[in-house]
Amino acid sequence: AFFTLNSLNAEEENVSACEGENCDFSNVVKDRNSCNEEQTLEAAKLCTTVIIRDDEGHGTGFSVEPGYLLTNKHVIEGAKKLEAWINGEWQEVSVWNYSPTFDTAVLKLPEEIPTCKWFDSDQLNLAETLYTVGWPDASDGDSTITKGIYSRLNKYNDGLEFVQTDAPINPGNSGGPLLNACGIVGIN
């Protein structure tokens, strides 16, 4: 299942699955045979950044389209100022839109960073290895990667889907990508 920035309308708090000809799936890995775990993890670290709040709280975000970061709404909620580590320096970012229902927020970047590759979460296999990328507990230094396994995909009538994993997700990992050897399958 996928959503795009086009499905998060700037004038409405509405997120829906991307369907039909208006969807750009060029950043979606469709063939598992072309996946390289090491390359995918390195690429995920490049498209992921730490987000600092003015109250010194922090979380993680990842680039979903050129110039935009996806994170959790609770990472940015209540902050008066947000900064992200972009190209070796702290840069101010702004909230483009958010969805309280999906606990997601889209931030506008002052410049582009690499965009993450996606993999369809409906194609995950039982006990497949999943990884989280983020900055647990401290916002300095390099991001960390932790791993666990895929247990199941929980789908609800209102459109929400949750990937169940035992990968460790700590404070500071919120908003970061959850990925397999092929690409992003969810948000922490």
Side-chain angles (χ1 to χ4, degrees):
F2 299 100
F3 71 89
T4 67
L5 287 185
N6 293 336
S7 61
L8 184 58
N9 187 309
E11 297 174 11
E12 302 174 16
E13 290 183 15
N14 181 20
V15 177
S16 60
C18 184
E19 299 174 10
E21 295 178 15
N22 295 330
C23 299
D24 176 11
F25 292 121
S26 62
N27 232 13
V28 177
V29 176
K30 297 178 180 128
D31 180 12
R32 281 183 179 269
N33 295 324
S34 67
C35 299
N36 178 300
E37 182 179 60
E38 186 176 336
Q39 289 175 355
T40 298
L41 294 174
E42 287 297 326
K45 288 179 72 84
L46 293 174
C47 69
T48 304
T49 188
V50 63
I51 301 165
I52 299 287
R53 303 165 44 96
D54 58 334
D55 62 5
E56 300 192 24
H58 76 280
T60 304
F62 57 99
S63 180
V64 292
E65 286 193 18
Y68 293 91
L69 281 182
L70 181 64
T71 190
N72 290 125
K73 180 181 180 283
H74 72 264
V75 168
I76 58 104
E77 195 165 30
K80 293 176 180 52
K81 183 179 177 184
L82 298 165
E83 292 183 323
W85 186 254
I86 301 170
N87 297 323
E89 64 181 334
W90 290 108
Q91 297 189 37
E92 192 166 342
V93 296
S94 59
V95 177
W96 183 74
N97 204 355
Y98 61 90
S99 170
T101 303
F102 290 91
D103 188 28
T104 56
V106 178
L107 306 179
K108 179 73 175 120
L109 300 174
E111 60 185 274
E112 295 178 11
I113 64 173
T115 303
C116 295
K117 296 280 187 193
W118 290 85
F119 185 77
D120 188 350
S121 58
D122 287 333
Q123 304 303 314
L124 290 171
N125 295 317
L126 184 62
E128 182 173 344
T129 301
L130 296 181
Y131 302 90
T132 66
V133 180
W135 278 262
D137 302 322
S139 60
D140 58 342
D142 198 10
S143 62
T144 64
I145 295 178
T146 57
K147 75 176 183 174
I149 63 165
Y150 166 73
S151 296
R152 70 179 188 166
L153 187 63
N154 298 308
K155 294 185 177 190
Y156 298 91
N157 291 336
D158 58 3
L160 288 173
E161 294 182 357
F162 294 95
V163 175
Q164 185 175 332
T165 181
D166 66 350
I169 299 172
N170 299 299
N173 282 103
S174 290
L178 179 68
L179 60 146
N180 68 355
C182 299
I184 308 297
V185 296
I187 184 172
N188 299 328

